[in-house]
Amino acid sequence: MNTAEMNTAQMNTAMRSLVIAVAVLSLGCTETETPDVADTRGKAATEDSMQNTLLAEWTGPYGGVPAFDKMNLADLRPALTQAMELRLAEIGAIVSTDEPATFENTILALERKGSVFDRVRMYYLIWRSNLSTPEYREIQSEMEPLLSAHQSSVIQNDALF
């Protein structure tokens, strides 16, 4: 291996490690917070979350639990769509800062964001694993490519990484 190939291999390894670290940090996030995106989406998300149970912050023991008794399959598609939009807006706020990237303002900020998306995704995964019906599978066939594209847009975001 020549020097250029070694540098490329090292960069690829470093990038994979960073992506894995970000994924682990975001999955391990237990802090819930309201969106602080400086646009009208934050207010709209709060208003919609009162109407769509899947967007609402979890309450109860252990830092909150899903509202299994109130979840409605008809709410899943709009909740996923809104949660993805909100997550992209939160990431946009992280990358639009004029400050140089640091662990604090990038990795930790990313870990603190996405709580709405994480909650809605949990409902999606619960339906997929335990409550799969023909109606759910129709939603899944529509949303899975969108979720995949969304995840790719996050982990391949040049400005973020």
Side-chain angles (χ1 to χ4, degrees), residues 34-53:
T34 56
D36 61 352
V37 179
D39 65 2
T40 57
R41 294 291 309 149
K43 184 177 181 186
T46 303
E47 291 170 1
D48 287 346
S49 69
M50 288 189 267
Q51 298 170 0
N52 189 329
T53 303

Side-chain angles (χ1 to χ4, degrees), residues 58 65-68 71 76 119-132 136:
W58 294 351
V65 294
F68 295 120
M71 60 188 212
L76 184 58
R119 287 192 307 267
V120 174
R121 188 169 151 265
M122 185 57 65
Y123 284 114
Y124 178 79
L125 295 174
I126 290 167
W127 260 298
R128 185 175 77 186
S129 298
N130 302 314
L131 302 170
S132 184
Y136 168 77

Side-chain angles (χ1 to χ4, degrees), residues 1 15 20 30 38 47 61 70 76 108 113 115 119 147 152 158:
M1 228 181 211
M15 181 60 86
I20 290 169
T30 58
E47 291 170 1
K70 296 178 183 169
L76 184 58
L108 289 181
K113 303 297 180 190
S115 59
R119 287 192 307 267
L147 287 165
S152 292
D158 289 337

Side-chain angles (χ1 to χ4, degrees), residues 6-153:
M6 287 177 50
N7 287 341
T8 301
Q10 290 172 338
M11 290 293 289
N12 287 340
T13 301
M15 181 60 86
R16 272 183 287 218
S17 298
L18 180 59
V19 168
I20 290 169
V22 169
V24 168
L25 288 173
S26 65
L27 289 174
C29 181
T30 58
E31 178 181 332
T32 57
E33 57 185 45
T34 56
D36 61 352
V37 179
D39 65 2
T40 57
R41 294 291 309 149
K43 184 177 181 186
T46 303
E47 291 170 1
D48 287 346
S49 69
M50 288 189 267
Q51 298 170 0
N52 189 329
T53 303
L54 304 182
L55 293 168
E57 192 168 330
W58 294 351
T59 59
Y62 313 110
V65 294
F68 295 120
D69 59 331
K70 296 178 183 169
M71 60 188 212
N72 182 353
L73 187 58
D75 293 337
L76 184 58
R77 184 180 293 128
L80 281 168
T81 302
Q82 187 173 347
M84 287 188 287
E85 291 172 0
L86 181 59
R87 185 177 183 212
L88 290 177
E90 291 172 337
I91 291 171
I94 293 170
V95 300
S96 66
T97 183
D98 292 334
E99 299 175 23
T102 65
F103 184 81
E104 191 78 26
N105 71 12
T106 304
I107 301 300
L108 289 181
L110 187 61
E111 179 182 343
R112 292 182 186 114
K113 303 297 180 190
S115 59
V116 173
F117 177 77
D118 292 342
R119 287 192 307 267
V120 174
R121 188 169 151 265
M122 185 57 65
Y123 284 114
Y124 178 79
L125 295 174
I126 290 167
W127 260 298
R128 185 175 77 186
S129 298
N130 302 314
L131 302 170
S132 184
T133 61
E135 295 81 12
Y136 168 77
R137 288 189 292 276
E138 183 180 319
I139 294 170
Q140 182 184 23
S141 68
E142 178 187 337
M143 297 307 296
E144 197 62 38
L146 298 175
L147 287 165
S148 178
H150 171 75
Q151 189 63 17
S152 292
S153 74

